[in-house]
Amino acid sequence: MKKKSKIHVIISVFICLAMLLGNMSGLSFIYPTEIQAYDSMEYGIDVSKYQEEINWSKVASTGIDFAISRIGTTNFNQETLYKDQYFDSNYEGSKSNGLKTGTYYFTSSYTLEGMKQNARDCISFLDGKKFDYPVFIDVEMPDKSTKQVALGKNTLTSYLLEALDILKDAGYSAGVYSNKSFLETYIDVSRIKAAGYQIWMAQYPSGTTAVDPKNYDKSGLCDFWQYSDRGKVNGINGYVDMNVRYTSSNSFPGAEDTSYSVPVQATANAKCNTYDANGNIESNRWIDAGDVCTIEKVYMNGFVYVEYPSSSEASGKRKAFAEKKYFDITPAAENTFPGEEDTSYSVPVQATANAKCNTYGANGNIESNRWIDAGDVCTIEKVYMNGFVYVEYPSSSEASGKRKAFAEKKYFDITPASENTFPGEEDTGYSVPVQATANAKCNTYDA
């Protein structure tokens, strides 16, 4: 460990004295501006029924940036979630006074269904309220939540991920809160982070003494750091937990994944949230299942930057971040289009489109303002293993009256040659040869 210079020590002493005097006088403390491995910090508190009535106007005047209010809790070794009686007033008070908001609930649940039901109950308690920061699941205190820790790291982490997914599917950012020891011993943090969820870690470097978080850097361990449970903030009687949120220009969306060939068109396979530049879910915005989007960038963290249809924009389009899993795209190395030919079909063969369908270019992108109409008689020239065909179809925009492109095979009633031997089995129920008169003009077919 490097020794601090005398100047550094003097400055540290001055900061501590300033904090002490600020707390004693009820004045807000002006934090130093030095930053370390992150770009900046936001300062916040977390509150519950234990702080009782809070004067949120006074809290906001201290320079606090955010407040995380408890929505509920279970009893130790029990699985029923009870709503915190002060949540609604804390949420409304913090939000109406301009603070950013988040929430959490404590759980001792030790079964998968219990953990999932807690998440569902939390969503019910929230009643559609919107937050700037995640809904955190608080798991901790191994000496009291004994049934939970008996699950072991792998199982407890799996249960948490199931609950986090429920929160996310309801439109909330989500994460896990715990102390450093519990995170290291009972939770596989790497799995939580890999799934895109945030970590809020409690660790008090000086025990019961409040510290200046600028003298420490926990940004490599967590997204939010609870650095003291002995904070004093004007507007709150007694102690309150103190927190910082680390922000970095590299935190979201992170490194770009260059293994994809972009821009590329893709259709959303389900309704999904959109995210802003800080990785927060955007309120009242989403991408609908079936929306044809343009993926402009792909990131290593599992997100994409996408242009999607939006009736609220004059252009009819809008750009935002979304989760890659909602779009069927693959790295360029795995996405050679159209891929391997399916030789089980006898082609060329005529087929009638059974519905209106898109046409695709040589890179597998949907072609703008081009399609095949239901009932169009086409010639299927090639069939591919990826479910596409290469087809000649009627086109009034071409001098020849025909055009070629790729299309999805499902729109054409064709079967492999082994299932479609023509003319097939003879029907011996007829006495032939026999003369008959054509009742209408009709096509002739080759062998």
Side-chain angles (χ1 to χ4, degrees):
M1 180 181 293
K2 295 181 179 179
K3 293 184 178 179
K4 294 183 178 180
S5 67
K6 290 183 179 179
I7 294 176
H8 194 166
V9 172
I10 292 170
I11 291 173
S12 298
V13 170
F14 173 77
I15 289 172
C16 292
L17 288 172
M19 287 181 68
L20 179 61
L21 290 172
N23 286 334
M24 291 174 63
S25 64
L27 300 175
S28 60
F29 177 72
I30 305 301
Y31 295 96
T33 57
E34 179 187 359
I35 59 175
Q36 299 182 28
Y38 42 86
D39 289 343
S40 62
M41 281 182 180
E42 293 177 343
Y43 289 84
I45 57 177
D46 63 271
V47 297
S48 67
K49 70 175 185 178
Y50 299 111
Q51 278 70 44
E52 299 182 341
E53 295 292 338
I54 295 174
N55 186 325
W56 285 104
S57 176
K58 288 185 178 180
V59 172
S61 71
T62 66
I64 290 294
D65 299 304
F66 66 87
I68 301 177
S69 304
R70 190 177 74 170
I71 180 65
T73 182
T74 67
N75 293 324
F76 291 116
N77 288 318
Q78 296 184 21
E79 299 193 303
T80 301
L81 190 71
Y82 300 97
K83 186 174 179 180
D84 189 303
Q85 65 198 70
Y86 283 90
F87 169 74
D88 290 326
S89 61
N90 285 335
Y91 173 82
E92 296 298 338
S94 56
K95 197 170 186 67
S96 64
N97 282 279
L99 300 183
K100 296 177 182 178
T101 59
T103 189
Y104 76 97
Y105 65 87
F106 171 82
T107 177
S108 278
S109 287
Y110 50 88
T111 66
L112 176 58
E113 184 52 39
M115 196 73 77
K116 291 165 68 175
Q117 187 59 48
N118 289 164
R120 290 190 285 263
D121 288 340
C122 171
I123 293 165
S124 176
F125 293 161
L126 293 177
D127 194 28
K129 291 180 174 62
K130 302 296 183 182
F131 298 91
D132 303 287
Y133 297 140
V135 178
F136 287 98
I137 302 175
D138 176 357
V139 286
E140 52 177 319
M141 305 178 76
D143 57 326
K144 295 183 179 180
S145 300
T146 53
K147 292 182 180 180
Q148 189 179 80
V149 299
L151 295 171
K153 177 183 284 192
N154 187 56
T155 299
L156 178 55
T157 302
S158 296
Y159 286 5
L160 282 170
L161 286 169
E162 293 266 4
L164 292 165
D165 286 345
I166 290 173
L167 295 171
K168 182 179 71 174
D169 291 344
Y172 294 104
S173 296
V176 172
Y177 166 92
S178 194
N179 57 70
K180 185 173 184 290
S181 175
F182 197 100
L183 287 169
E184 292 173 343
T185 307
Y186 300 106
I187 299 174
D188 189 339
V189 173
S190 64
R191 289 175 62 193
I192 302 295
K193 287 184 174 181
Y197 299 115
Q198 297 189 41
I199 297 296
W200 177 15
M201 182 186 75
Q203 185 195 28
Y204 311 148
S206 298
T208 59
T209 305
V211 299
D212 178 9
K214 286 292 185 183
N215 292 334
Y216 303 84
D217 182 6
K218 306 294 182 180
S219 60
L221 300 174
C222 56
D223 304 285
F224 291 73
W225 175 35
Q226 185 185 91
Y227 61 89
S228 176
D229 62 353
R230 289 292 186 271
K232 294 290 289 181
V233 173
N234 197 17
I236 298 178
N237 294 322
Y239 293 120
V240 66
D241 295 338
M242 304 299 294
N243 302 271
V244 291
R245 173 180 178 261
Y246 295 107
T247 63
S248 169
S249 58
N250 295 322
S251 58
F252 186 87
E256 190 172 346
D257 188 342
T258 57
S259 67
Y260 289 80
S261 179
V262 288
V264 62
Q265 279 192 319
T267 302
N269 55 38
K271 182 177 179 179
C272 62
N273 293 310
T274 61
Y275 296 76
D276 64 21
N278 294 318
N280 299 318
I281 294 176
E282 298 181 308
S283 299
N284 300 318
R285 293 188 182 275
W286 60 84
I287 299 172
D288 278 313
D291 278 354
V292 178
C293 307
T294 300
I295 308 298
E296 297 192 352
K297 290 186 178 182
V298 182
Y299 297 91
M300 298 297 289
N301 68 347
F303 279 77
V304 294
Y305 190 60
V306 57
E307 182 182 72
Y308 65 97
S310 174
S311 58
S312 65
E313 304 295 324
S315 64
K317 297 179 179 181
R318 185 174 181 274
K319 295 181 180 183
F321 294 93
E323 292 178 87
K324 185 178 68 179
K325 68 181 182 180
Y326 292 105
F327 303 91
D328 297 322
I329 58 174
T330 53
E334 303 172 16
N335 193 34
T336 53
F337 186 87
E340 184 180 356
E341 190 173 347
D342 188 343
T343 58
S344 67
Y345 290 81
S346 179
V347 289
V349 62
Q350 279 193 321
T352 302
N354 55 37
K356 182 176 178 179
C357 62
N358 293 312
T359 60
Y360 295 76
N363 294 321
N365 298 323
I366 295 175
E367 298 181 309
S368 299
N369 301 317
R370 292 188 182 275
W371 60 85
I372 299 172
D373 279 314
D376 278 354
V377 178
C378 307
T379 300
I380 308 298
E381 297 192 353
K382 290 185 178 182
V383 182
Y384 297 91
M385 299 296 289
N386 68 348
F388 278 76
V389 294
Y390 190 60
V391 57
E392 182 182 72
Y393 66 96
S395 175
S396 58
S397 64
E398 304 295 324
S400 64
K402 297 179 180 181
R403 185 174 180 275
K404 296 182 180 183
F406 294 93
E408 292 177 88
K409 185 178 67 178
K410 66 182 181 180
Y411 292 105
F412 303 91
D413 299 322
I414 58 174
T415 53
S418 60
E419 302 172 18
N420 190 35
T421 53
F422 184 85
E425 185 179 358
E426 188 174 351
D427 185 345
T428 58
Y430 290 83
S431 179
V432 290
V434 62
Q435 282 190 325
T437 303
N439 54 33
K441 181 179 180 180
C442 62
N443 293 313
T444 61
Y445 297 81
D446 62 22

